[in-house]
Amino acid sequence: MNNAIRRNMRSLAATGLIWGVMTALTACVQVSAPDKPIVINLNINIKQEVVYRLDGDAKDLIKEEADIF
């Protein structure tokens, strides 16, 4: 029983030591709002092409009734 307590104490001490070293070595991060507003320029060119295929009967019908379209 005595050995189990010693192992637990060593494990606890090692964990505490590792935690302390990790805490001491971490960098300080500072976050602050910018003085000027953030401007995002989006130059977007959207080009749309519609491609369709018709069979012969539909093409003939469109040619005959061209004034509808």
Side-chain angles (χ1 to χ4, degrees):
M1 175 105 172
N2 208 4
N3 288 336
I5 294 173
R6 285 184 185 175
R7 275 186 293 196
N8 286 339
M9 291 298 287
R10 285 182 189 156
S11 175
L12 185 61
T15 303
L17 180 64
I18 292 171
W19 180 258
V21 169
M22 286 176 49
T23 305
L25 294 179
T26 57
C28 179
V29 177
Q30 203 172 28
V31 178
S32 61
D35 296 335
K36 298 177 184 177
I38 298 172
V39 177
I40 300 173
N41 292 323
L42 296 175
N43 296 324
I44 299 173
N45 185 7
I46 298 173
K47 182 178 179 182
Q48 180 180 3
E49 293 182 18
V50 178
V51 179
Y52 61 93
R53 294 183 186 163
L54 300 172
D55 65 2
D57 294 336
K59 285 182 184 180
D60 293 339
L61 181 62
I62 290 173
K63 286 179 184 177
E64 290 173 7
E65 303 293 333
D67 58 334
I68 296 175
F69 301 103

